[in-house]
């Protein structure tokens, strides 16, 4: 039997479990008694993990007296996951492809396993308590899962609530989840149990996630396209949380901030179709989270792109190594603050607000506006903002004005990326290349200013920054500024001389 499931996972604090089980929101909405059972599952794959590479999961799960074989495939989504699921009762403990009702899937798996059988990879041991909820607008199964995932002697704990839509609209499920987030510290879980099991098996830590292209259609509603852009941005936000918390991949913080900036840029770009009551609160929370991640990113760049390379030079002052140790301590402190922000109830509520956004009703301001209409107007507006900020010669601008120009270039580049699917690659490519080079050049100039500020921040009466270190870093920054300004003129001409293709 095949099913298409829509579900949302909320990670919970184990300290809240007893209170969660007694939650009045649940008991007012439930139909019938809670059902509890032990779920013991084994997940299978080939030796080369061919199913994982195809974003599929194959398990056999003991559910009380029943044993169910399940094959799952991802159909996308951000937070609110859409998955295809093929279930069949089985009496065996080994995979049986003959039980798969879908012919195409059965043939695909048969081809994959012709020369390499499916073998156990990891297992889950879960105690599930489930309630059926009758909500306004839909029926939802709420399952509280507590247990562990195991692989080769290693394990990771599971403590989450899973809401699966059984009938009606996703809005009902999401509204109920938002109510829970007002009462509990809960965060959207982007990774399935299968994904966590594979990470455990591979002994791999979380990695960063970059943005992906969003395919838009010129004739589609502008509101629908905004929803798609925000959904992709939300997926990128959620996809970098684990890497930020793990702290071993500095791209996690970078890509997390990029995702937030892209969503904010989209909200700004489409503000003509967004009521202020929708845009401002969401933008405020996004900015707050962006600021929380900012210091961690600044220290990452300062250490990795400036201090470490400088320390490798033959003329580096001896005191620089000690300064680097202090900088690492400052970075660790900034990561602690970032982690605190990510674990806060407020961030959990922001996650759910982002997940809900594409499912909100179309506002009156958006009626009748197509994506193509908005794209042309926005690209014109963003380009004019860049030209105005640059003035007659951007190399003559003071540092604050260069910073403002960099922000305008970034907004233009985001707009270009949002709408690039509406145009041909040959039209978009020169603009993407020129705006990227210009942004990177201005970014280098900004880094020099930020890094000078970080040196000042390290200076304390009881522990001043050594003069030799300060002068060495200052000389590097000055050289970087001079080089950047020398490159800026040419990069600006390359950008300015392009002819707009969208008009």
């Amino acid at each position: 039997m095949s099913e298409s499931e829509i579900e949302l996972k909320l990670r919970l604090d184990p300290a809240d479990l007893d209170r969660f089980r007694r939650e009045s929101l649940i008991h007012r909405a439930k139909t019938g008694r809670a059902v509890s059972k032990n779920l013991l599952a084994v997940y299978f794959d080939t030796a080369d993990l061919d199913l994982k590479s195809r974003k599929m999961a194959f398990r056999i799960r003991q559910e009380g007296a029943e044993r169910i074989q399940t094959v799952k495939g991802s159909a996308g989504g951000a937070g609110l996951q859409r998955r295809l699921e093929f279930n069949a009762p089985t009496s065996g403990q080994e995979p049986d492809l003959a039980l798969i009702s879908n012919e195409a899937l059965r043939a695909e798996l048969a081809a994959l396993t012709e020369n390499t059988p499916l073998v156990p990879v990891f297992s889950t041991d879960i105690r599930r308590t489930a309630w059926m909820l009758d909500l306004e607008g839909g029926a939802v199964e709420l399952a509280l899962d507590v247990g562990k995932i195991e692989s080769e002697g290693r394990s990771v704990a599971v403590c989450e609530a899973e809401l699966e839509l059984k009938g009606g609209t996703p809005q009902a499920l999401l509204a109920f989840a938002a109510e829970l987030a007002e009462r509990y510290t809960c965060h959207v879980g982007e990774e399935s149990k299968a994904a966590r099991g594979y990470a455990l098996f591979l002994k791999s830590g979380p990695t960063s996630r970059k943005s992906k292209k969003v395919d838009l259609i010129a004739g589609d509603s502008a509101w629908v396209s905004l929803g798609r852009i925000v959904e992709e941005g939300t997926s990128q936000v959620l996809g970098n949380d684990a890497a930020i918390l793990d702290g071993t991949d500095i791209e996690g913080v970078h890509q997390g901030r990029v995702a937030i900036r892209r969503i904010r840029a989209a909200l700004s770009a489409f503000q003509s179709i967004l009521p202020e009551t929708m845009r401002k609160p969401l933008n405020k929370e996004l900015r707050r989270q962006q600021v929380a991640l900012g210091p961690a990113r600044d220290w990452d760049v300062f250490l990795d792109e400036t201090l470490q390379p400088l320390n490798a030079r033959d003329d580096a002052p001896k005191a620089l190594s000690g300064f680097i140790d202090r900088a690492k301590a400052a970075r660790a402190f900034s990561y602690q603050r970032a982690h605190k922000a990510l674990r806060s109830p407020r961030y959990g509520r922001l996650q759910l607000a982002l997940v809900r956004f594409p499912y909100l009703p179309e506002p009156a301001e958006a009626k009748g506006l197509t994506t193509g209409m908005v794209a042309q107007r926005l690209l014109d507006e963003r380009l004019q903002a860049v030209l105005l900020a640059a003035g007659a010669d951007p190399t003559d601008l003071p540092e604050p004005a260069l910073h403002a120009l960099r922000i305008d270039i970034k907004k233009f580049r985001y707009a270009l990326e949002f709408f690039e699917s509406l145009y041909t690659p040959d039209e978009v490519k020169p603009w993407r290349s020129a705006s990227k080079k210009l942004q990177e050049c201005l970014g280098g100039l900004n880094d020099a200013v930020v890094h000078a500020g970080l040196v000042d921040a390290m200076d304390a009466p009881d522990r001043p920054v050594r003069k030799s270190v300060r002068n060495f870093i200052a000389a590097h920054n000055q050289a970087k500024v001079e080089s950047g300004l020398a490159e800026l003129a040419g990069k600006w001409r390359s950008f300015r001389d392009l002819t707009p293709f969208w008009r």
Side-chain angles (χ1 to χ4, degrees):
M1 179 178 67
S2 65
E3 297 179 5
S4 178
E5 62 177 24
I6 297 176
E7 64 181 26
L8 175 76
K9 293 182 186 294
L10 297 176
R11 299 193 309 274
L12 299 173
D13 184 338
D16 288 334
L17 286 177
D18 288 341
R19 184 164 65 93
F20 189 88
R21 291 187 178 97
R22 300 191 303 269
E23 174 55 51
S24 60
L25 276 176
I26 298 172
H27 291 281
R28 284 200 302 268
K30 71 178 183 180
T31 59
R33 297 174 63 86
V35 176
S36 296
K37 61 175 69 173
N38 293 324
L39 305 177
L40 302 174
V42 176
Y43 286 73
F44 296 83
D45 206 330
T46 65
D48 294 329
L49 304 184
D50 293 301
L51 301 191
K52 177 183 181 296
S53 67
R54 288 164 172 76
K55 296 183 178 180
M56 296 168 62
F58 193 124
R59 76 173 182 226
I60 296 178
R61 187 165 73 184
Q62 188 76 38
E63 303 182 11
E66 296 182 306
R67 188 174 292 157
I68 306 294
Q69 176 179 284
T70 300
V71 182
K72 285 191 176 188
S74 174
L80 191 63
Q81 298 291 331
R82 307 175 192 95
R83 292 188 174 92
L84 296 175
E85 186 174 295
F86 301 87
N87 297 308
T90 181
S91 58
Q93 298 183 18
E94 299 295 328
D96 185 352
L97 302 188
L99 297 176
I100 300 173
S101 58
N102 183 279
E103 290 186 16
L105 177 60
R106 187 171 64 248
E108 180 183 0
L109 290 176
L112 284 174
T113 59
E114 183 177 4
N115 298 314
T116 173
L118 292 171
V119 295
V121 180
F122 56 91
S123 63
T124 60
D125 184 353
I126 303 295
R127 176 67 174 176
R128 168 169 290 182
T129 302
W131 299 264
M132 284 302 303
L133 308 180
D134 184 14
L135 306 176
E136 184 178 351
V140 170
E141 181 186 66
L142 169 62
L144 178 62
D145 287 353
V146 180
K148 60 184 177 179
I149 304 170
E150 294 183 295
S151 181
E152 298 184 336
R154 298 178 300 279
S155 67
V156 61
V158 173
C159 183
E160 63 190 22
E162 184 178 293
L163 295 94
E164 182 178 346
L165 189 66
K166 294 297 185 180
T169 64
Q171 288 89 330
L173 183 156
L174 291 167
F176 185 79
E179 287 189 83
L180 289 176
E182 292 294 333
R183 302 184 181 210
Y184 297 89
T185 300
C186 54
H187 296 89
V188 176
E190 183 77 349
E191 288 188 317
S192 65
K193 294 182 183 68
R196 283 172 282 174
Y198 277 117
L200 197 62
F201 174 74
L202 293 170
K203 303 178 185 178
S204 60
T207 56
S208 59
R209 184 204 187 281
K210 293 185 177 181
S211 62
K212 297 179 182 178
K213 181 181 176 183
V214 180
D215 289 323
L216 305 180
I217 300 173
D220 276 356
S221 158
W223 179 250
V224 169
S225 292
L226 174 58
R228 290 175 184 161
I229 293 169
V230 172
E231 184 176 50
E232 165 54 27
T234 302
S235 186
Q236 188 184 4
V237 167
L238 299 176
N240 283 290
D241 285 349
I244 296 172
L245 291 169
D246 185 67
T248 56
D249 181 1
I250 66 171
E251 275 295 297
V253 169
H254 176 50
Q255 293 302 327
R257 293 186 77 233
V258 167
I260 292 172
R261 287 201 305 262
R262 286 175 66 87
I263 297 173
R264 293 186 66 203
L267 297 178
S268 173
F270 286 83
Q271 63 181 303
S272 63
I273 69 171
L274 266 175
E276 290 292 274
T277 53
M278 292 176 63
R279 185 181 69 84
K280 280 192 171 182
L282 186 55
N283 187 61
K284 177 183 177 181
E285 292 302 308
L286 285 165
R287 186 181 185 282
R288 182 178 182 274
Q289 195 65 20
Q290 183 179 336
V291 169
L293 299 179
R297 177 57 182 168
D298 289 342
W299 284 110
D300 278 340
V301 174
F302 191 29
L303 275 160
D304 283 34
E305 297 183 13
T306 296
L307 294 181
Q308 301 287 15
L310 284 179
N311 199 40
R313 283 171 41 175
D314 293 336
D315 59 341
K318 292 181 179 180
L320 184 58
S321 294
F323 181 81
I324 288 175
D325 290 338
R326 292 176 62 190
K328 288 179 178 178
R331 173 167 65 178
F333 179 72
S334 70
Y335 264 83
Q336 289 174 9
R337 294 181 63 185
H339 292 172
K340 183 178 179 180
L342 257 67
R343 292 188 173 109
S344 69
R346 192 166 180 173
Y347 179 58
R349 293 192 290 270
L350 171 60
Q351 288 179 319
L352 278 167
L354 291 172
V355 172
R356 293 181 73 184
F357 188 91
Y359 300 92
L360 295 175
E362 182 180 39
E365 293 88 337
K367 300 291 185 183
L369 288 175
T370 66
T371 304
M373 293 162 59
V374 172
Q376 181 174 344
R377 183 178 65 200
L378 177 64
L379 288 169
D380 269 332
E381 289 175 355
R382 291 290 189 247
L383 178 59
Q384 289 306 311
V386 170
L387 296 174
L388 182 63
D393 185 355
T395 61
D396 292 334
L397 295 175
E399 185 279 322
L402 285 173
H403 177 69
L405 175 60
R406 182 176 68 90
I407 298 300
D408 283 324
I409 283 286
K410 190 179 297 184
K411 289 180 178 179
F412 173 80
R413 185 180 170 195
Y414 286 152
L416 201 63
E417 292 174 355
F418 291 154
F419 299 115
E420 66 176 305
S421 61
L422 305 183
Y423 308 101
T424 66
D426 288 342
E427 291 175 318
V428 177
K429 186 177 179 180
W431 282 90
R432 285 197 65 172
S433 176
S435 59
K436 180 181 180 181
K437 290 176 181 178
L438 188 55
Q439 181 184 329
E440 289 175 345
C441 178
L442 291 167
L445 293 172
N446 184 68
D447 286 345
V449 175
V450 171
H451 296 170
L454 293 178
V455 173
D456 289 340
M458 296 285 284
D459 210 6
D462 61 332
R463 199 176 183 187
V465 176
R466 294 286 187 89
K467 188 175 180 180
S468 61
V469 171
R470 179 181 287 278
N471 291 342
F472 190 63
I473 295 173
H476 167 78
N477 284 338
Q478 183 59 35
K480 192 170 185 178
V481 168
E482 292 173 359
S483 173
L485 288 175
E487 294 178 1
L488 179 58
K491 287 179 169 51
W492 172 247
R493 282 195 301 271
S494 297
F495 178 87
R496 182 199 59 198
D497 293 343
L498 291 171
T499 301
F501 60 84
W502 56 85
R503 293 173 180 167

